[in-house]
Amino acid sequence: MNKLIKANFSRLFKSMFFKVCLIFSAGLGILMDMARYIDIQKNQELYAKFGVEYKSADGFAFSLVLYIIFAISAFTAVFVGTDYSDCTIRNKLMVGNKRTEIYFANFITCAVANVIILMTSIIVTLGFGYALFRVTSLTAKETAICIIIQCVTMIGFSAILVLISMLIQSKASGAVTALIMTIVMFLAAMTISNKLEAPEYYEDLTEITSETGEVQYVPVETKNPSYITGTKREIYELLNDILPCNQFYQIACCNTENAGKLAIYSALIMILSNGAGVVLFRKKDLK
């Protein structure tokens, strides 16, 4: 399998799509830094009232992955699909490589490539941001935890993308399917997060007129009818911890309380996706 991985990485570093993804991730980070810097300069009085997290790159450095995942989805599908379009997979089988080795070689290559794209975004955003703002709101430990969990989550996410890409022989169909799956997961993440973050009570002001005719406004708590409780909330919380896009969103908000749990779920996703992928790929009829 070492030869397969070596050949894959040789193709990876020659891939124009991979280079475009790196440029996109770095450029997006620089663009966000510049946009925040210009906004701070224009609204200095407003930002003076905010905390340091709004005056540094820490507040959005880990949220850029929610944009990068779409480029990563397309890249993974195209990279794996090229093996089919160029008939490389059949050639690999003809020279004695096992299907399991081919599958894991592709997974390892794509996982490493996707982590590199992610790390490029984080490093450039934090580095360029610090050069502009000269402040940081996260400790070294918090930053390290966020980076590690996002990388672990990216590996689990890559396993899902490779599973899809290895089972669809058409490069175009694989890319479209991966993008649709990513969009669905992204929308699910936003929906689940909004449901869980909704307050249980809303505070309203009720007008009360006293006997003297004086009007007073008294705060009254009103139950939120959309607030979920019981088993339904437990299911939502479980999905929030399991789904990769939800994990990305939690770390984007710099929420490191469930770091260990998120890492375990990502590892579980990686194992199950690769296990299912290997079984299905072994049975697949390669045309």
Side-chain angles (χ1 to χ4, degrees):
M1 190 170 70
N2 290 337
K3 291 183 179 180
L4 290 173
I5 294 175
K6 185 177 180 180
N8 276 355
F9 276 109
S10 177
R11 181 161 63 92
L12 172 68
F13 294 124
K14 293 177 183 177
S15 170
M16 183 57 65
F17 202 164
F18 177 64
K19 295 175 183 177
V20 169
C21 287
L22 290 176
I23 294 172
F24 170 73
S25 62
L28 184 61
I30 293 173
L31 181 64
M32 292 295 292
D33 284 334
M34 291 298 298
R36 176 61 61 86
Y37 180 77
I38 293 172
D39 195 39
I40 290 175
Q41 297 304 311
K42 288 183 177 179
N43 304 282
Q44 293 187 15
E45 293 183 2
L46 179 62
Y47 276 92
K49 303 175 184 178
F50 295 158
V52 68
E53 64 270 15
Y54 293 97
K55 305 173 188 176
S56 67
D58 304 341
F60 54 83
F62 296 102
S63 65
L64 299 186
V65 67
L66 295 172
Y67 302 94
I68 295 171
I69 53 175
F70 298 102
I72 283 175
S73 298
F75 162 74
T76 303
V78 170
F79 184 83
V80 174
T82 301
D83 263 359
Y84 284 114
S85 61
D86 294 346
C87 298
T88 309
I89 285 186
R90 282 190 296 176
N91 293 336
K92 291 176 180 177
L93 291 171
M94 289 175 63
V95 297
N97 293 300
K98 298 179 180 179
R99 292 198 180 202
T100 303
E101 294 175 338
I102 295 173
Y103 189 97
F104 278 111
N106 282 340
F107 164 69
I108 291 171
T109 306
C110 290
V112 172
N114 294 339
V115 168
I116 291 174
I117 295 171
L118 172 65
M119 287 299 298
T120 298
S121 170
I122 295 173
I123 292 172
V124 171
T125 305
L126 291 178
F128 189 74
Y130 185 77
L132 284 178
F133 308 119
R134 294 294 179 182
V135 291
T136 180
S137 62
L138 297 176
T139 64
K141 181 180 179 180
E142 290 172 332
T143 302
I145 291 175
C146 287
I147 291 175
I148 292 171
I149 297 303
Q150 279 215 337
C151 288
V152 173
T153 302
M154 181 58 73
I155 294 173
F157 183 62
S158 298
I160 297 175
L161 295 176
V162 172
L163 167 62
I164 294 172
S165 303
M166 288 295 290
L167 300 180
I168 301 176
Q169 293 190 210
S170 171
K171 184 161 55 176
S173 298
V176 171
T177 303
L179 282 171
I180 291 175
M181 183 274 300
T182 302
I183 292 172
V184 170
M185 291 180 66
F186 176 81
L187 294 177
M190 295 301 102
T191 301
I192 292 171
S193 298
N194 288 335
K195 288 285 187 180
L196 291 175
E197 292 172 0
E200 185 174 1
Y201 292 93
Y202 290 120
E203 188 174 276
D204 296 325
L205 293 178
T206 301
E207 182 180 314
I208 298 178
T209 304
S210 65
E211 295 179 354
T212 60
E214 182 181 357
V215 178
Q216 296 180 332
Y217 292 93
V218 180
V220 177
E221 287 189 338
T222 304
K223 179 73 174 182
N224 179 7
S226 301
Y227 185 79
I228 55 176
T229 58
T231 304
K232 188 176 180 181
R233 187 170 189 85
E234 292 177 358
I235 293 173
Y236 270 68
E237 289 175 345
L238 181 62
L239 291 174
N240 192 48
D241 290 336
I242 291 178
L243 297 178
C245 285
N246 288 78
Q247 294 183 4
F248 284 135
Y249 181 76
Q250 288 190 54
I251 301 302
C253 298
C254 297
N255 179 9
T256 59
E257 295 179 1
N258 297 328
K261 186 189 297 184
L262 298 182
I264 292 173
Y265 282 134
S266 291
L268 186 61
I269 289 173
M270 179 190 68
I271 293 171
L272 293 177
S273 297
N274 283 333
V278 168
V279 171
L280 294 174
F281 183 62
R282 281 178 177 175
K283 298 179 180 180
K284 184 174 177 60
D285 180 21
L286 300 178
K287 298 179 182 179

